[in-house]
Amino acid sequence: MTVFIGVPALLGAIFAIGVCGHRPALPSKWVASCDSDFGSSKTAMVLSDASISWSFKHYLDCSNRAIWARWINPAENSTFYVGVGTPPMPRFAALRADALIIGPGLPALSAAAKLLLPAEVLSDPVWNITGIGAIFHRSPQDQSTCGHLGAVMAKASTVKNGRCDFYEPYGATNSWRILDADGNQLPTSGAMYYAAVFLQSDTSGKVGIALGTWAENFMTASNLTSPNCKRSFPDWSEQKEDQGSCLPVLSCPLANPIPRITCTLSTCPRAVVAKACEDTIASSMMCTMGRVCDCSAVIKTNACGTTITSAMGNTDVNAVCAKTCNVTCSATATETTTSQSMNMVCGGDKCPVAAKAWSAGMMPMHSKMAIKYTCDTELDFIRGMIPHHQGAVDMCDILTMDLACTASGDLDGMVALCSHLRIEQTKEIAGMTSWLGSRAVEAKCDGAESGCGNLACPSSKAFMAANAVMHEVMVVRIGCMHEVDFVRQMLPHHAGAIEMCNILERTTQLSDPYLVELCFNITRAQRAELAWMSEWLVSRSQPLSATCQECAHGIPPSQPNAHCEDILPSTSFCHKPGWNCACEFAILEVPCGKTLQTAEYGYFNPTSMCRRSCGLCPADREPLFHQPCNDTEDSPHDHALHDATTGNDADHSLRNATTGAVSHAPRKTLGTFPLQFWLGVATLAMVLKR
Ligand SMILES: *[C@@H]1O[C@H](CO)[C@@H](O)[C@H](O)[C@H]1NC(C)=O
Ligand SMILES: *[C@@H]1O[C@H](CO)[C@@H](O)[C@H](O)[C@H]1NC(C)=O
Ligand SMILES: *[C@@H]1O[C@H](CO)[C@@H](O)[C@H](O)[C@H]1NC(C)=O
Ligand SMILES: *[C@@H]1O[C@H](CO)[C@@H](O)[C@H](O)[C@H]1NC(C)=O
Ligand SMILES: *[C@@H]1O[C@H](CO)[C@@H](O)[C@H](O)[C@H]1NC(C)=O
Ligand SMILES: *[C@@H]1O[C@H](CO)[C@@H](O)[C@H](O)[C@H]1NC(C)=O
Ligand SMILES: *[C@@H]1O[C@H](CO)[C@@H](O)[C@H](O)[C@H]1NC(C)=O
């Protein structure tokens, strides 16, 4: 079998998540705090929940000598962690950090330790609190081994180029771990405790601070302290370019204050990568919707350098035919269309760039999933699933690289979600690509909106119907909170994969063990993420759905209920050896109702992570796709469409209902996609035919 080729290479990436993910302690619009943010016990960052894992980044510019955090100790003798890292850049090589944990019931600070504290820290009012004491931790000068790390970080770090290096899989960044202070016992329950972190060298510098416990929690909302810092931190880890000129390391007494030069990368990290000089027309709207996919044909009627105007917007011929038109690619390799041209989303007036990015980002998936069907159901399934999975990866890239300009453990948990998602989906894409192997066939339909080829069999019809519903429900109203908009589009996207597996299972006698396992994995992982994402929205008091549809008779669109599932596959517990991402195994070790404290990931609580396996979810699942409007014309076909959207794996009675749904799905889609969009399609097709 060739099936597993390509998988071993990716296993490394999976096992790289050897520790829990730290939750960003800054609100997602900030990459890092800086300057005098959190500069004393009075202005300390407030950790709203000290029982989970937090992290944030900070540039010390000498305005203050230390960075402070404070929290209420949740339990007597709870343990608390503080770790400090720096980006692996030569100018940070000499940085060493110290950390103080301060609070009642801790030993008095020794005279020797006092000598090592910056005067500013020693004169902080915190020391006047009655009964206060402190634990003092110091980075060793020798950083050539990971000997100074606690057990958890030691397992996840290695010596690289002579330095103890930690690879953070969520943001795909490296850092030098200069301090690792684990297992601090905080005696007094309910009392306020403080941490202060400072650089031994009394210089400016970048630090990443992790603190709290090893319990991962990206999901629940919490109150975060906003910094005042107005600097921008593009490319915090300086993977793209050295930022020594705008964020220098200077000796504090000499260079105080350090000139505040703004760092700029010309654009987001992803956009600075020059694109290959190619004709992009094949993946453009013109090809998908206008059925014109060939640049040599285009330039016969519309010369290079001209603009094709249609109701879909303006398409710059040079942009889609860069190679044919001999233009410099870096400047024009993206298709330029006006934002009102592509209505794959609605709303977004306050963030036209984002609305356009979401809309354009979805186009390749929509068009590539419109395959030329063969009625070899297994083959058609794989050919549709590859672009489907790629669509999720692309949407993550839009969120983390294009809109947020960051891939660093941030965005209110979305970087972590995307990291899980990229690992899963890239691995599955590799598996599916090798399964295809020589069975790959020409997939293009040359512009047919939803698919072509052999549509006689039930599976082709069912796949097309499911795609139509998915695409329809993915047309969401953009509210310009990028994380929220992303999640609302991702919910129906994930539901689409589960539905495709349902179709495969009910229209074939599935025997290929690879496909059986793949669908098992897809269903499990995507259900977990559906539940995770819906809980994420609920926890932020955000509606689960924001539809572009207007319902008949002015009835307001309805909201779905949150999905209730085992979410373990979308947490770091997934990677616990022996559990194989499955609650079935986890609850053998930790029965429902009990908890287990693990070294790497904190508390495992099956009743929150294995809710379905513990019998805490309603037996009937929420429909996969939420239809926000009740149908007024009560035709049996419309009922059938609703049936096709149920999430119930066991419901095999759908076979006939699905067939019924198919004939009307395109009509329904036409009815609910913004009219402007379809007018645009028709108009562009006409313009190009002339
Ligand atoms: C906390 O630690 C102290 C000192 O080690 C011990 O006397 C006390 O019993 C502990 N309390 C709890 C709840 O474990
Ligand atoms: C702490 O208390 C001492 C005397 O008790 C006082 O002199 C000092 O000013 C206080 N420090 C701060 C920072 O409040
Ligand atoms: C956030 O703070 C507000 C006001 O202090 C409070 O009402 C709310 O419960 C807090 N939310 C969380 C999740 O801690
Ligand atoms: C692009 O360059 C090639 C070779 O220099 C030339 O043959 C071709 O005509 C050029 N195409 C256009 C559209 O200018
Ligand atoms: C299914 O998931 C398991 C556990 O993550 C993995 O080992 C296996 O390779 C996956 N199978 C397929 C076909 O993707
Ligand atoms: C749609 O119809 C169902 C059942 O008839 C009803 O429970 C529901 O509230 C209706 N939803 C809307 C948005 O009118
Ligand atoms: C599907 O429809 C056919 C013809 O109406 C019927 O004979 C068959 O029993 C139906 N199958 C299911 C699963 O309902």
Side-chain angles (χ1 to χ4, degrees), residues 28 40 82 88 141 209 211 237 248-249 352 361 377 431 435 449 453 515 527-528 546 588 593 619 681:
S28 64
S40 74
V82 181
Q141 284 312 303
I209 300 175
L211 68 182
S237 299
V249 174
T377 305
W435 183 93
E449 289 86 16
L515 292 177
R527 278 202 195 289
L588 291 179
V681 172

Side-chain angles (χ1 to χ4, degrees), residues 493-516:
H493 172 277
H494 276 33
I498 298 169
E499 181 59 15
M500 286 169 77
C501 278
N502 287 346
I503 293 169
L504 177 68
E505 282 160 8
R506 69 177 183 252
T507 54
T508 54
Q509 297 291 322
L510 196 52
S511 57
D512 181 331
Y514 169 75
L515 292 177
V516 171

Side-chain angles (χ1 to χ4, degrees), residues 87-338:
M89 295 297 288
R91 75 179 187 286
F92 302 129
L95 297 189
R96 301 289 181 272
D98 291 353
L100 279 166
I101 292 164
I102 304 166
L106 296 174
L109 204 57
S110 72
K114 278 185 185 165
L115 287 176
L116 298 169
L117 305 191
E120 185 186 291
V121 172
L122 257 186
S123 64
D124 188 280
V126 77
W127 303 109
N128 277 9
I129 297 170
T130 327
I132 211 96
I135 308 171
F136 180 53
H137 291 283
R138 196 160 171 77
S139 287
Q141 284 312 303
D142 181 3
Q143 295 275 334
S144 65
T145 72
C146 288
H148 58 291
L149 300 190
V152 174
M153 286 304 289
K155 262 198 272 175
S157 308
T158 52
V159 175
K160 213 179 267 177
N161 303 324
R163 287 294 297 248
C164 181
D165 183 283
F166 170 62
Y167 175 71
E168 203 277 318
Y170 294 107
T173 54
N174 291 80
S175 64
W176 288 330
R177 303 315 301 173
I178 53 180
L179 182 72
D180 197 61
D182 206 351
N184 301 285
Q185 270 208 0
L186 310 184
T188 313
S189 175
M192 180 77 75
Y193 282 80
Y194 298 82
V197 169
F198 52 87
L199 292 172
Q200 292 171 17
S201 51
D202 202 12
T203 62
S204 59
K206 275 185 183 177
V207 287
I209 300 175
L211 68 182
T213 67
W214 296 106
E216 175 181 284
N217 178 348
F218 287 110
M219 190 160 66
T220 51
S222 61
N223 289 330
L224 304 175
T225 321
S226 296
N228 293 313
C229 171
K230 298 281 189 297
R231 292 175 189 259
S232 74
F233 294 96
D235 188 20
W236 172 267
S237 299
E238 304 191 18
Q239 288 171 315
K240 306 284 172 208
E241 57 192 54
D242 184 303
Q243 290 170 10
S245 57
C246 48
L247 298 167
V249 174
L250 294 174
S251 173
C252 283
L254 295 179
N256 193 2
I258 290 177
R260 290 187 183 167
I261 303 165
T262 304
C263 292
T264 48
L265 276 182
S266 44
T267 44
C268 289
R270 185 163 79 152
V272 291
V273 178
K275 300 206 170 157
C277 189
E278 288 300 341
D279 290 344
T280 54
I281 192 165
S283 60
S284 75
M285 294 276 289
M286 292 172 76
C287 177
T288 315
M289 299 301 175
R291 310 187 186 200
V292 176
C293 309
D294 177 9
C295 280
S296 56
V298 169
I299 64 169
K300 283 192 187 129
T301 47
N302 299 85
C304 291
T306 63
T307 300
I308 303 170
T309 306
S310 73
M312 286 170 79
N314 303 326
T315 303
D316 184 350
V317 176
N318 278 352
V320 290
C321 297
K323 190 172 183 182
T324 305
C325 293
N326 298 333
V327 294
T328 317
C329 303
S330 53
T332 55
T334 45
E335 185 175 5
T336 50
T337 43
T338 56

